[in-house]
Amino acid sequence: MTRSDQGRDEDLKALAFETRAIHVGQEPDPATGAVAVPIYQTSLFVQDDVDRDKGWFYSRTGNPTRAALERCIASLEGAAHGFCYGSGVAAEDAVLRLLRPGDHLVVSRDLYGGTYRLLRRVWEDGGLSFTPADLTDPSAVTAAWRSETRMVWIESPTNPRLQIVDIGAVAALSRERGAIGVVDNTLASPYLQQPLGLGADVVVHSTTKYLGGHSDVIGGWVGTSSDGLAERLGLLQAATGAVPGPMDAFLILRGVKTLAVRMERHCANAAAVAEFLAGHPAVAAVHYPGLASHPGHDLAAKQMAGFGGMVSFTLAGGEAAARAVCAGTRLFALGGSLGGVESLISYPPTMSHFPMQGTELAADPALVRLSVGIEAAADLIADLEQALGSLA
């Protein structure tokens, strides 16, 4: 980022979220006046001489399209520094590289399957250890703590049961004990929640999901306001090279422009779907923080600007019923991702959370997860109604 870029971002800081999503990092191209940030599809930037470049050297270490996206998301998350990666898991891997062999993490018991696999199948061999705990209970965090604990990994809402963690309380506990508080903010998006403002040290996203929003690109992002952590993350980004290409950065940046309006519709539709499911006799329980019956409802209302677009529920008929519903929807496509404009239905035990099969963290076999899109709510409810009706 040049000094003029930094000054412009500071000028925009006081503006509303929706305005910053469209303007931060996205000033008209000085060479042509193009409104959209150009796709700098180049690997190399020619230098002025052997000791001086034009601010860009090689696209692994920096690319103007990627830099625009990094600046924009950083503004939306209230971060002083932001770094893009080639996927959400690559972003998580970069954060875990802040640790050293022998270090220990406390993580949520309700944890994304890809994060669990990265920890269990990759980083345990690299010398890290971790303990799952119910992060909704601060005493459970304390009980899981070890002398070598150096990081607490928070999801809120969690995936797939949409539990709500008091980010401020857990982050404060982590900081008091000298550990890094990390929040995976993917399910909320920065429109609904900014963890750094709640006290976290690091925030991570799969930009594949709500930030991109259209199921057409893979990416990840990490943000922090700590200069020390940022220096290390910047080195890791350049040294390991797990970066997105300029076209990927362009697509995510385009998605970010409409994040606010999309999230409003995701939230409204999810609330309608959750209310419908809560009243259906085939449904045993609905997990959605927007329902007053949800144990984290009051906390979610306090630390989030909305309750999100994810809903999960368990079927009274158990696994067979859950599988039948997943096979019976027409508008809800069967897929293991989330956050796109189209609605998705998934079966966590064998899809997003299959790495936990056979462990104490395995997903409930009666559980179904919905990523509620921005279609007409009435059509989505009718689709679920016919799928549930087939159970009779």
Side-chain angles (χ1 to χ4, degrees):
M1 184 192 304
T2 66
R3 186 171 297 175
S4 61
D5 291 337
Q6 191 169 15
R8 185 176 188 274
D9 289 356
E10 285 296 317
D11 293 341
L12 295 172
K13 186 180 290 186
L15 300 180
F17 183 101
E18 295 88 339
T19 305
R20 287 181 284 121
I22 294 170
H23 290 283
V24 172
Q26 300 167 81
E27 55 273 5
D29 177 48
T32 65
V35 173
V37 173
I39 303 166
Y40 286 89
Q41 194 68 51
T42 183
S43 60
L44 179 67
F45 301 88
V46 173
Q47 298 187 198
D48 293 331
D49 60 43
V50 295
D51 297 314
R52 187 175 73 253
D53 56 41
K54 293 180 172 62
W56 309 100
F57 166 66
Y58 188 65
S59 277
R60 171 169 49 78
T61 59
N63 178 283
T65 313
R66 188 174 85 220
L69 177 61
E70 290 171 335
R71 289 165 54 195
C72 185
I73 302 178
S75 174
L76 302 182
E77 278 287 7
H81 313 278
F83 305 91
C84 284
Y85 296 87
S87 71
V89 172
E92 293 186 347
D93 184 70
V95 174
L96 292 171
R97 289 175 185 272
L98 296 171
L99 301 177
R100 294 290 180 267
D103 287 348
H104 171 260
L105 303 87
V106 177
V107 305
S108 173
R109 289 184 59 85
D110 196 40
L111 184 69
Y112 167 53
T115 307
Y116 175 85
R117 178 173 55 187
L118 180 62
L119 287 165
R120 180 69 76 198
R121 301 294 297 276
V122 177
W123 276 106
E124 276 195 335
D125 289 342
L128 300 184
S129 60
F130 67 99
T131 301
D134 178 7
L135 299 191
T136 66
D137 178 5
S139 66
V141 181
T142 302
W145 205 274
R146 300 180 186 174
S147 60
E148 63 269 25
T149 300
R150 297 292 179 268
M151 183 175 285
V152 177
W153 194 280
I154 304 165
E155 290 182 13
S156 187
T158 63
N159 185 0
R161 290 195 293 133
L162 303 175
Q163 296 175 325
I164 301 299
V165 176
D166 188 333
I167 294 173
V170 176
L173 187 155
S174 303
R175 186 166 294 159
E176 289 168 5
R177 298 182 175 217
I180 301 170
V182 179
V183 177
D184 181 343
N185 201 32
T186 298
L187 266 62
S189 88
Y191 183 65
L192 300 182
Q193 181 173 267
Q194 297 90 44
L196 298 182
L198 296 170
D201 299 299
V202 175
V203 58
V204 61
H205 279 277
S206 170
T207 56
T208 309
K209 310 306 193 298
Y210 287 110
L211 287 162
H214 293 79
S215 303
D216 56 7
V217 64
I218 300 290
W221 181 88
V222 177
T224 183
S225 291
S226 163
D227 293 343
L229 293 177
E231 182 178 4
R232 180 65 179 167
L233 287 165
L235 171 63
L236 289 168
Q237 185 195 54
T240 64
V243 295
M247 174 59 86
D248 293 343
F250 172 84
L251 287 171
I252 297 166
L253 190 61
R254 184 175 67 170
V256 169
K257 291 175 185 284
T258 61
L259 177 63
V261 292
R262 285 187 287 105
M263 291 308 301
E264 291 287 347
R265 184 62 170 264
H266 283 299
C267 290
N269 281 359
V273 165
E275 289 285 355
F276 161 74
L277 291 170
H280 199 284
V283 176
V286 180
H287 309 290
Y288 182 65
L291 294 175
S293 58
H294 189 285
H297 173 75
D298 291 343
L299 178 57
K302 178 182 177 181
Q303 69 183 20
M304 299 175 70
F307 299 109
M310 301 297 297
V311 178
S312 64
F313 60 101
T314 54
L315 277 300
E319 179 178 351
R323 287 176 175 270
V325 170
C326 287
T329 55
R330 297 165 183 164
L331 286 179
F332 281 86
L334 183 62
S337 191
L338 60 96
V341 293
E342 65 288 311
S343 292
L344 300 174
I345 189 168
S346 72
Y347 185 61
T350 63
M351 296 173 69
S352 59
H353 289 69
F354 78 90
M356 281 95 148
Q357 286 183 338
T359 76
E360 62 176 350
L361 303 182
D364 186 338
L367 184 72
V368 172
R369 190 189 73 181
L370 302 177
S371 174
V372 183
I374 65 172
E375 304 95 335
D379 292 335
L380 297 176
I381 290 171
D383 187 33
L384 290 169
E385 188 170 28
Q386 65 81 25
L388 289 164
S390 68
L391 299 178

